[in-house]
Amino acid sequence: MTATVRRQRLRALLTGDRCYFPASVFDALSAKIAEDIGFECGMYAGSVASLAVLGAPDIILLTLSEFAEQARRFGRASALPVIADADHGYGNALNVMRTVEELEHAGLAALTIEDTDLPRPFGAPKPRPLPLAEGIGKMRAAVAARRDSALCIFARTGALGMTGLDDALERFRAYQDTGVDGVFLTGVSSMQEVDAFAKEARLPILLGGLPAKLQDREELAARGVRIALQGHHPFMAALSALRAAMQALRDGAPLPDTLPKADLDRLSGEALWQARSDDFLDRKSD
């Protein structure tokens, strides 16, 4: 499946009337598992990417090239449309353009650009948003850098948790006029806050880091929310299972349950690769 087709599939979700929970994916096999289970789309987060690629915390240590190379593996392995958290675009508005070019080339279905001042300035006690004018410039730059019109670009703001509802609403209104395809909000903690944004919405709303009490799909869908992230539990569960297996091997204890080999062979396409190998061998011998 081509990248454009994956992007068109994601756009179809955004234009519908449902709310979707994306699978949190972090490598090729996790994307294949999400597709196999039936997830409609996936989310590739900067925090999980930093852990998976570097074993480092989410403090903007991962580079664009490292992030893009990991993302490129999703499209090779799976038809799952994946949304990438591109953080602040790895710099200013020109860097944002370079980020969009690289991640579009990597085959992602969508990406988010946020307006947080990153990396956090030395001595800053907590995260802070960029000046609104700079945030607007970044969103416009991201849209201008797009070559495939099917690629979705989402403005992202966490202002709600940093400077409050009024500032977040001002940014929400402004970003809708930059040419982006939706606005991704973090820090939402109540349905009343969702209602405040829904009243101003002219584009699809995406939500990140929702508490369990706000994960009613029908209520979210009625308010124009099309994508709502449940968190990155799969990666943490994978780490827990990995540690448990290693600890058991170290201690000589019974191993915990693992994925049956038949399931792994199916997910990895073992039969398909073997058939291809046999076919080429037969052709060579003719």
Side-chain angles (χ1 to χ4, degrees):
M1 180 181 292
T2 67
T4 295
V5 173
R6 290 196 295 271
R7 293 162 185 163
Q8 290 169 341
R9 287 176 59 187
L10 180 63
R11 283 187 174 273
L13 302 182
L14 296 173
T15 56
D17 58 2
R18 295 177 57 193
C19 175
Y20 297 90
F21 293 156
S24 177
V25 298
F26 50 89
D27 62 9
L29 198 53
S30 66
K32 294 188 78 169
I33 291 172
E35 181 185 8
D36 186 62
I37 289 173
F39 275 94
E40 296 84 2
C41 60
M43 183 73 189
Y44 174 45
S47 57
V48 172
S50 188
L51 289 168
V53 176
L54 297 181
D58 184 23
I59 51 175
I60 317 300
L61 298 175
L62 191 73
T63 66
L64 170 59
S65 58
E66 291 168 326
F67 185 79
E69 182 55 35
Q70 185 78 338
R72 193 171 285 112
R73 297 183 175 104
F74 300 147
R76 292 190 185 121
S78 167
L80 185 76
V82 175
I83 305 165
D85 164 19
D87 285 327
H88 62 316
Y90 297 90
N92 61 20
L94 295 180
N95 297 119
V96 167
M97 298 184 76
R98 178 74 177 82
T99 294
V100 171
E101 291 172 359
E102 190 68 20
L103 296 183
E104 180 175 330
H105 184 66
L108 290 162
L111 58 92
T112 69
I113 299 293
E114 68 179 276
D115 61 358
T116 308
D117 189 5
L118 296 171
R120 193 184 303 182
F122 178 75
K126 59 182 180 179
R128 63 188 185 189
L130 293 169
L132 178 56
E134 187 173 353
I136 290 171
K138 280 195 170 190
M139 307 313 165
R140 288 176 175 168
V143 172
R146 176 171 50 193
R147 292 295 173 265
D148 183 355
S149 60
L151 176 71
C152 292
I153 295 176
F154 303 125
R156 172 172 170 164
T157 183
L160 183 60
M162 291 183 278
T163 51
L165 180 60
D166 289 343
D167 182 42
L169 284 169
E170 182 180 7
R171 291 169 184 271
F172 183 81
R173 288 188 288 264
Y175 294 155
Q176 291 187 99
D177 294 327
T178 61
V180 298
D181 301 292
V183 182
F184 188 107
L185 302 167
T186 62
V188 174
S189 60
S190 70
M191 199 60 76
Q192 289 73 28
E193 290 173 340
V194 178
D195 286 336
F197 290 103
K199 291 177 183 178
E200 304 287 346
R202 290 177 281 107
L203 296 174
I205 298 173
L206 297 84
L207 298 177
L210 282 181
K213 66 179 182 179
L214 296 184
Q215 293 182 15
D216 184 308
R217 293 195 201 205
E218 292 186 2
E219 288 191 5
L220 293 173
R223 291 162 170 80
V225 178
R226 296 295 168 255
I227 304 288
L229 184 62
Q230 295 171 291
H232 304 298
H233 308 295
F235 183 72
M236 302 309 294
L239 290 182
S240 179
L242 179 62
R243 184 181 183 88
M246 286 187 172
Q247 190 69 57
L249 289 168
R250 176 67 173 172
D251 297 342
L255 281 168
D257 291 339
T258 59
L259 186 72
K261 185 177 185 302
D263 289 344
L264 179 60
D265 288 347
R266 180 176 56 81
L267 285 168
S268 65
E270 171 74 18
L272 175 61
W273 284 107
Q274 186 60 53
R276 288 171 175 171
S277 176
D278 294 343
D279 183 55
F280 290 137
L281 287 173
D282 289 343
R283 288 173 185 271
K284 186 176 181 181
S285 62
D286 288 343

